[in-house]
Amino acid sequence: MAVPLIDRDDLDFTLWRVLGAESLTRYPRFAEHDRGTFSQVIETARAIAEDKFRPHAAKSDANEPRIENGKVVLIPEIGEALQAFAEAGFLAAHHDAEIGGLQLPWTIQQAAFAHFKAANTPTVGYAFLTIAAANLIHAHGSAEQKRLWMQPMLDGRTFGTMALSEPHAGSSLSDVRTAARQLDGDRYAIKGSKMWTSAGEHELTRNIVHMTLARIEGAPPGVKGLSLFIVPRYRLDAAGEPTVPNDVTLVGLNHKMGYRGTVNTALNFGDGDDCVGYLVGAPGRGLANMFHMMNEARVGVAFGAIMLAYAGFQESLEYARTRAQGRHPGDKDPTTPQLPLVEHADIRRMLLQQKAVAEGGLMLALDLALRIDRQKQDPDEAVRRHEALLLDFLTPIIKAWYSDRALEANHNAIQILGGYGYTRDYPVERIYRDNRLNPIHEGTNAIQAIDLLGRKAGIAEGAAFRAVVDEIRATLAEAEGKPELDALRRETATGLERLVATTETLLTAAPDIGAIRMLSNAAAYMDMAGLVVFGWVWLRQGLAALAELPQAAAGRPRDFLLGKLQTARYVAAWELPRTAQHAALLGSLDDTLTTMEASWL
Amino acid sequence: MAVPLIDRDDLDFTLWRVLGAESLTRYPRFAEHDRGTFSQVIETARAIAEDKFRPHAAKSDANEPRIENGKVVLIPEIGEALQAFAEAGFLAAHHDAEIGGLQLPWTIQQAAFAHFKAANTPTVGYAFLTIAAANLIHAHGSAEQKRLWMQPMLDGRTFGTMALSEPHAGSSLSDVRTAARQLDGDRYAIKGSKMWTSAGEHELTRNIVHMTLARIEGAPPGVKGLSLFIVPRYRLDAAGEPTVPNDVTLVGLNHKMGYRGTVNTALNFGDGDDCVGYLVGAPGRGLANMFHMMNEARVGVAFGAIMLAYAGFQESLEYARTRAQGRHPGDKDPTTPQLPLVEHADIRRMLLQQKAVAEGGLMLALDLALRIDRQKQDPDEAVRRHEALLLDFLTPIIKAWYSDRALEANHNAIQILGGYGYTRDYPVERIYRDNRLNPIHEGTNAIQAIDLLGRKAGIAEGAAFRAVVDEIRATLAEAEGKPELDALRRETATGLERLVATTETLLTAAPDIGAIRMLSNAAAYMDMAGLVVFGWVWLRQGLAALAELPQAAAGRPRDFLLGKLQTARYVAAWELPRTAQHAALLGSLDDTLTTMEASWL
């Protein structure tokens, strides 16, 4: 029997005990829902993920997309899985009922989608890009654009992409060169080359809509000159059908280490001067409008990384329970049976690291989803603002810190399986290769660290940072006097004070030492902030576990809660103390990286 | 132009300035050599590695070994490269002149071989396994076994393997079940299944010799019952030719994440009860005899990992120098040209981490090779014993610590290349996949950590540990009063004192708390010890650089030395402080891992 995609006990515990997600039904938008319908949606997702997504993950990896007769060929299971996804209504799940949606909270949609991420991230990628593209048009497009381009995405007739990067402009979007020349109204002639466009060409749907950054003739250089366009693969004919080729050329496919099922393309727009794009929103607002989506995309990337950690954890836990190998140190009697791997201390360390990242990450990702819901739905403006500030600060952390630690988790999963883990007979090596992408895309982790320290730590006169600090202090206060959480409470409190002092030091020094040096050690700042948040996450898990413990039945219910408390101990002993090192480096304004000359390397 | 496999300045600096390897010519065995002949050998290796090994590394990865008509098919370039390797005399390089060797010091042979590891580890693997197999027969075989089986390996007519693991016994060799029943003299009937045998079947050579662990009928269980056998693919006919099939069956190939050019096999011996093995050395001494070879193999694995770090460093450095992307923080003017990546602080951090591991690791690997030479050649017994003790303690460290850090280095190489680094158009993703094996084989890194703390820290009443501590203290004394190295000297000294105190605490507590708990945090002990050794390595590099600096010409010679000093600063600021965290965890005898119940996971 296959291992569970997500431990049901864990998801229930996180959603209903730690996060209290049922509270969402108080908001009028979700009033038709209750915990029963929420659970039903999640169960549907689990079933489709297990039946339609997981079974072809290995096959899809082994048979990567290729071009045949000018067309991109994917294994058929990808299309079948996505059809099941669309038929379940998941492409429109969070939208209004009146446009075919389920008016599902983002939180519940994300809890459902987590199963697809764990089952087969590359296949579900087509759907997630489509949802993101539809969201962009929903937020910034005209009524006609919504009707013509968004509506077909909600039922899966058209898929979407993000066409941002160019061959010379990967991280540096301010250098995008793709040009747009107005034809009439919102119609522009588009010309340029795009790189790294995922799902950029395929035959899964009749049409593909590329949400494209381009520069209108005469627009200023830099990000302020960028506008957002709908560039379809096919334009619509008089009958409204996508039959008119739109001069979008597939230049080639990128062949990746992992994540292979998601075809990744280099595209040319307007080689034959016949590519039309439709301006979305105001000219010059392209990147600004896109950033709204990008923040969700960053949490999405992190969530994907976390669910790969989760999948690797489940696989390696199952292996560690069933594979007998070796004996305890000191036990030299070779006639005794070998022990299951899980009995070895270092295997437990690697399982606990995975559990901490996977379950803690799942909780944080859903916590952020809940804040997105509250930020949009809460009647109290102070709540909305508070949640927005928290999201600002926590988004780069979940993206960078969790994608790094999730990859470490997958490393540990392989290590537990030993030689078998290095083979393609077990899924952990594929999971690891898939996950290696996540520290790179949607803004490299270095860029996230600069965003965190250079922007988020200081914005609104430090209000985002203070909002996070206040939340963590509230949790620390709650954990007072609970001996089971004492170690983690102390380490988190110490880490938090270090983070506060370091942030103060750096922001105060910035005018003197300049932005380059102030930001040069941002990677250390990211790890410190990530660790403090990690401590906070596990304190909340621990508090919820303690609250449940007295009434928990012996056996699995009780063991589950004790596992949470032990993971909190692991986080305190093995992870949090790293903040000391970062505080010293950052506090001293260490200039090793900035005094380095390139010629010395 | 391709990047250098190894920076010549760096190898020269390490061999002649830091290690003073010329001193080897004092030993009678190497008296025929001088620095000129040493350099010639190294240059020959470099040329063959560049011309014959590097060019097919990507092709070999993309076309992994397969079975066709019952035979293993490899791309032809593998055989051609290995032929060039054999023709240069490298298979016998360290052996006596009288058996066709060059009487080359191990140090110089390793410096030469480093180029093959950087160029194409999977292809050179066939040669290294053959050298190791020949060494085993050389050390423990009879005169006839040497003539019949070793000699053909020295000139490349026969290749060798290590057939140790079995499907149910990967790490736990004491559970090996392959059986041996004496026929007559040294001839035994062998029966059993072997797993993970690299180079276990191919058509590169007329014969293959499997150095096999098996249990003679009636031998005790556990490692003491294991004996070592030569099990050839073909037995020799009356004319001494390998024409008689020896009932060795290829069961299947393992399909790996990387390291694909080295075919990895599952083999059955004696399915038809006609498999003959020849006992090497005394019955029951199999594992003991093998461990001699295994220590060299462990350093070899580490050296391979380090050279993959070196290769990734060279590739990503070249990319960082030539790829323009982004601007400095605070520079908002999009009309200025983009900066080369190397100008960004976090890119420098990732380059310095790679440089520290790659160049420091190369030095440590050659330092250990030099100690192997001295241990064998030095007339002074005290020197021989001292070097043996150092090798004992440092072997698990170089294997585990450097293979972990080398993988981190390759992670950073990919990160520097961004999206391109994730594609198969650049070598860094392949290098990373190849390197993922190294923390697993030749004893997982967890096993190395247990070996270090459980055996090496205490053996000979702590003499091995004290020998290392004394060496490091001597280097610390040398670094006194040198401001350029002050930060690293202080951090290394602090780390060393923590290591000494922690070792004392653990060994003292062991009788009370028991071996299981004492060893449960061995991973933290390994990182602490590895860091201290890392500091020591970079102090020695720094001292040599300082000695050279006054007479170094401006430009590259001077820049090279300044780069060494800046890397020492990086190691002090970013790496060494981690020892504090480990000292606290280990010193408190933290029992998180041992109080965990498996059912809580």
Side-chain angles (χ1 to χ4, degrees), chain B residues 367-440:
Chain B
D367 183 56
L368 296 191
L370 198 64
R371 293 182 195 283
I372 289 172
D373 279 324
R374 284 203 291 257
Q375 185 213 338
K376 289 183 180 156
Q377 306 301 332
D378 206 275
D380 183 343
E381 203 221 311
V383 170
R384 294 201 304 274
R385 179 174 150 76
H386 177 73
E387 299 298 13
L389 288 170
L390 279 163
L391 284 164
D392 260 349
F393 195 79
L394 294 173
T395 295
I397 292 175
I398 195 169
K399 197 292 177 176
W401 197 85
Y402 275 88
S403 65
D404 277 342
R405 298 283 72 80
L407 193 62
E408 183 187 353
N410 289 161
H411 175 93
N412 284 333
I414 291 175
Q415 203 66 17
I416 289 171
L417 271 73
Y420 292 100
Y422 192 65
T423 70
R424 274 123 65 199
D425 296 331
Y426 289 82
V428 289
E429 74 86 28
R430 169 172 46 79
I431 290 171
Y432 177 73
R433 283 186 291 109
D434 284 355
N435 218 352
R436 182 62 190 85
L437 177 61
N438 289 315
I440 298 171

Side-chain angles (χ1 to χ4, degrees), chain B residues 62-388:
Chain B
N63 297 277
E64 69 184 334
R66 63 185 193 283
I67 301 175
E68 236 173 59
N69 303 322
K71 288 192 192 303
V72 170
V73 179
L74 307 177
I75 63 167
E77 290 89 340
I78 292 176
E80 292 160 18
L82 291 164
Q83 198 182 341
F85 186 97
E87 282 170 3
F90 284 136
L91 286 165
H94 66 291
H95 282 288
D96 292 357
E98 67 180 29
I99 60 168
L102 304 173
Q103 283 190 205
L104 210 59
W106 192 249
T107 312
I108 303 303
Q109 186 232 45
Q110 289 294 304
F113 286 5
H115 296 81
F116 300 105
K117 294 172 195 259
N120 191 334
T121 311
T123 289
V124 83
Y126 296 91
F128 290 172
L129 282 163
T130 302
I131 291 170
N135 283 351
L136 262 181
I137 301 178
H138 186 259
H140 306 291
S142 67
E144 191 192 21
Q145 288 170 346
K146 288 181 194 176
R147 182 173 60 79
L148 294 179
W149 305 111
M150 181 190 80
Q151 204 68 47
M153 288 197 237
L154 300 188
D155 55 25
R157 281 173 293 154
T158 292
F159 279 175
T161 81
M162 300 290 149
L164 286 66
S165 293
E166 300 184 356
H168 65 286
S171 294
S172 181
L173 291 177
S174 69
D175 292 271
V176 157
R177 288 182 200 146
T178 294
R181 180 173 48 80
Q182 190 169 25
L183 299 170
D184 53 67
D186 68 349
R187 292 175 66 249
Y188 285 73
I190 307 290
K191 197 176 177 74
S193 298
K194 289 293 178 181
M195 184 63 172
W196 307 124
T197 303
S198 284
E201 173 109 332
H202 54 72
E203 307 298 323
L204 293 167
T205 46
R206 282 189 65 196
N207 207 0
I208 301 172
V209 164
H210 307 288
M211 303 306 295
T212 303
L213 283 183
R215 202 176 293 279
I216 295 172
E217 277 186 332
V223 295
K224 288 178 183 155
L226 294 176
S227 304
L228 179 63
F229 295 86
I230 289 166
V231 179
R233 184 183 182 196
Y234 295 104
R235 298 197 294 265
L236 306 180
D237 60 23
E241 296 297 314
T243 60
V244 187
N246 192 33
D247 195 14
V248 173
T249 317
L250 176 65
V251 178
L253 306 185
N254 293 307
H255 296 100
K256 296 167 291 177
M257 181 194 302
Y259 229 94
R260 295 187 174 186
T262 306
V263 64
N264 189 276
T265 61
L267 299 174
N268 275 0
F269 293 162
D271 274 356
D273 292 321
D274 185 28
C275 178
V276 175
Y278 307 91
L279 178 67
V280 177
R285 297 286 302 160
L287 203 62
N289 290 344
M290 211 135 198
F291 258 114
H292 167 252
M293 177 280 304
M294 266 177 161
N295 278 333
E296 279 165 24
R298 284 171 178 186
V299 178
V301 164
F303 207 165
I306 288 160
M307 294 320 297
L308 288 173
Y310 211 109
F313 171 50
Q314 295 294 318
E315 295 288 347
S316 61
L317 176 58
E318 171 71 13
Y319 189 86
R321 286 196 200 286
T322 49
R323 166 83 172 173
Q325 193 70 189
R327 294 170 189 82
H328 277 313
D331 179 358
K332 300 288 184 206
D333 181 358
T335 63
T336 58
Q338 296 195 63
L339 292 172
L341 282 172
V342 71
E343 294 301 328
H344 295 298
D346 199 65
I347 299 286
R348 292 175 178 199
R349 177 183 66 79
M350 294 190 283
L351 288 168
L352 282 167
Q353 188 273 341
Q354 292 182 74
K355 186 177 169 78
V357 169
E359 296 181 4
L362 174 63
M363 182 203 124
L364 184 61
L366 292 176
D367 183 56
L368 296 191
L370 198 64
R371 293 182 195 283
I372 289 172
D373 279 324
R374 284 203 291 257
Q375 185 213 338
K376 289 183 180 156
Q377 306 301 332
D378 206 275
D380 183 343
E381 203 221 311
V383 170
R384 294 201 304 274
R385 179 174 150 76
H386 177 73
E387 299 298 13

